[in-house]
Amino acid sequence: MRGLYAQEALHQQGHGRPVNHLAVVETPAQMSSFGKAAEYGQAKVTKDIAQSFGLSVFAGAFIALAFVFYLTVTTGSAQNSWGLVRFSGGVAFSLGLILVVVLGGELFTSTVLSAIAWAQKKVTTKQLLSCWMRVYLGNLCGAMLILLLVMMSKMYGLDSNEWGLNALHVAQHKIHHDWSQAFALGTLCNLLVCLGVWMTFSCKDALAKSLLLILPVAMFVSSGFEHSIANLFMVPLGIAIQHFAGNEYFIALGVAPQIFADLTISNFVLHNLIPVTLGNILGGAVFVGLGYYWIDNKGVKAINNAPSLHISPFNDTQEHTLMHVQTPDLQQNMSSSESFQQVSIDPQTQHQLSKEYIAMKNKIQKLIVSELMDTKPTSLSIDMTIYDALTLLANDNVRSAPVVDSKYQLLGFVSEQDLMRSLWSEEFSAKLPISVKDIMQTKMLTVAPTENIAQLLEFMVVDKKKLFPVTDTGMYISGGYQSYEERLRDASAAVPSVYPVVENGRLCGVIRREALLKMFSKYYCPKHDGNSHPVEQQSVA
């Protein structure tokens, strides 16, 4: 779809005043969430290696910070409802994924969606695996950085050392899953993470993206699902506290340090990190990424195999012909005599109307401003008095005129309203020392001679915000339901009806809404001999 938008272009002419130009802007068709996900995945794989790694470090740090928040929220809440405590911790942890999505981090668990680009053969297997590896390593670096800072700050001593004890219990719990359990929990976790990220493809607003992420993250955290990158911080934190907090720390807690002796790197890697990582890949890359890829491919095939409309060729020897609408399903379930819907039409009339309609529509779509503009418009000089300008506009029966210099450079624009407003403001005095220079508008909407008439008309007569009252995120903002026809009646555009036509800074004409009206009147109510179609006539000057 194309639209016309006002785009300001500063042009140093005359008095150096800014001039606004209408520019034809190519607006791409609305991309589906799957299309955005495919682009998202391809962009991650093909991103500059240094940039990708740097963003991965940030993402790992964001997730680690989120786990710090989780531990703080859930510490000292043993007497409270188990479910509500975990839910509040899950909401707190959602900060991590929000930071990643809003600030553009590279997180392994969402990066696995790049499997879509691999399935589409936009990236190679080597590129895909290289991307996953560098992002994973970057996340590890970010997690270790936050771990170092947390240990240096001795946060484990918060709430009379209960904060650190909470971290120890969480870390220990994670390494006591068997392989199948850890794998399944990892699969469920990244299913939710990737679905949350997928939902953000439907909107552009940062606040909307953030809100969409909260519940999926809160669910996987409160339900105990396993996130490999979060575990890269959480379990090493428990290991670090167990090894470096010192005996005094455990004496103050009244807990024997031997209770947490199983918190080791080998136990973490073998019993948690490997199966959880593999589960994350299955849940995100396979279930979400390749799952939606398979569904999208099925949709494309269904469109390609959709029933087609067959119109039998016109036969000059027949007075009438039949239009057949034929589908494979109908053929199987109906007899040959019943398998067609038959509509009697006049082939000569049908052919003529279709040809004329298509020709007229194509002609209108191809018209450009130079074909309808007034090449010798009434113009004003900058030093002309407002009384002379009034007389000139009245005698030429026009409502506005451009202001130009001796070289026909556009300086401004004056309308009948500008003139009469100045008279009203001075109580209609006949001796005002006011010139066109004092009242002309210098911020103007102009068009180029090569711009499309159909798009200019759209800009002139339709206010898209009234016709389609939705935000950029697709949210309906109108007070109540209205049909398309009702909205269209109220969608009149509050824009000028006359535009200077400018090329290389020089005025080469004006285009008025009246010229478009005359053009349409000739196309739809032509005065011709009945043999030639109006689209074959010359355009209105």
Side-chain angles (χ1 to χ4, degrees), residues 53 55-61 63-64 106-108 132-148 228-234 236 265 268-269 273:
F53 185 79
L55 291 173
S56 303
V57 173
F58 271 105
I63 295 299
E106 296 286 337
L107 184 65
F108 172 76
W132 288 5
M133 186 174 295
R134 69 171 174 265
V135 170
Y136 200 93
L137 291 175
N139 291 166
L140 173 62
C141 292
M144 292 300 101
L145 175 63
I146 300 301
L147 173 61
L148 177 63
S228 58
I229 306 306
N231 292 350
L232 283 175
F233 168 77
M234 190 60 247
I265 296 295
F268 166 49
V269 173
L273 190 59

Side-chain angles (χ1 to χ4, degrees), residues 73 124 146 206 212 215 228 231 236 256 291 303 305 335 340 358 365 378 409 431 433 517:
V73 167
T124 65
I146 300 301
L212 286 172
L215 287 182
S228 58
N231 292 350
I303 292 173
N305 295 330
S335 66
F340 297 103
I358 293 171
Q365 292 290 345
T378 299
Q409 299 287 318
K431 297 182 179 180
L517 188 68

Side-chain angles (χ1 to χ4, degrees), residues 30 36 38 150 158 262 285 305 330 336 341 378 428 500 510 538:
Q30 186 68 27
K36 292 178 181 178
V150 167
L158 292 174
D262 55 351
N305 295 330
L330 284 175
S336 59
Q341 176 185 355
T378 299
F428 308 106
V510 297
Q538 294 295 322

Side-chain angles (χ1 to χ4, degrees), residues 101-117:
V101 170
V102 174
L103 301 182
E106 296 286 337
L107 184 65
F108 172 76
T109 47
S110 58
T111 297
V112 296
L113 284 174
S114 55
I116 298 173

Side-chain angles (χ1 to χ4, degrees), residues 32-108:
S32 67
S33 293
F34 176 82
K36 292 178 181 178
E39 284 195 352
Y40 170 85
Q42 184 180 8
K44 284 185 174 295
V45 176
T46 57
K47 189 172 291 183
D48 177 76
I49 294 177
Q51 183 186 27
S52 176
F53 185 79
L55 291 173
S56 303
V57 173
F58 271 105
F62 294 156
I63 295 299
L65 288 171
F67 229 129
V68 172
F69 196 7
Y70 170 88
L71 291 171
T72 302
V73 167
T74 57
T75 296
S77 55
Q79 304 303 318
N80 297 320
S81 168
W82 178 85
L84 290 178
V85 170
R86 293 180 70 88
F87 175 74
S88 62
V91 172
F93 186 83
S94 67
L95 171 66
L97 195 57
I98 290 171
L99 288 172
V100 170
V101 170
V102 174
L103 301 182
E106 296 286 337
L107 184 65
F108 172 76

Side-chain angles (χ1 to χ4, degrees), residues 350-367:
Q350 173 71 16
H351 181 71
Q352 183 180 358
L353 289 176
S354 298
K355 181 180 178 181
E356 290 181 351
Y357 169 74
I358 293 171
M360 181 176 68
K361 184 176 179 181
N362 288 342
K363 178 65 176 177
I364 293 173
Q365 292 290 345
K366 292 178 181 178
L367 277 174

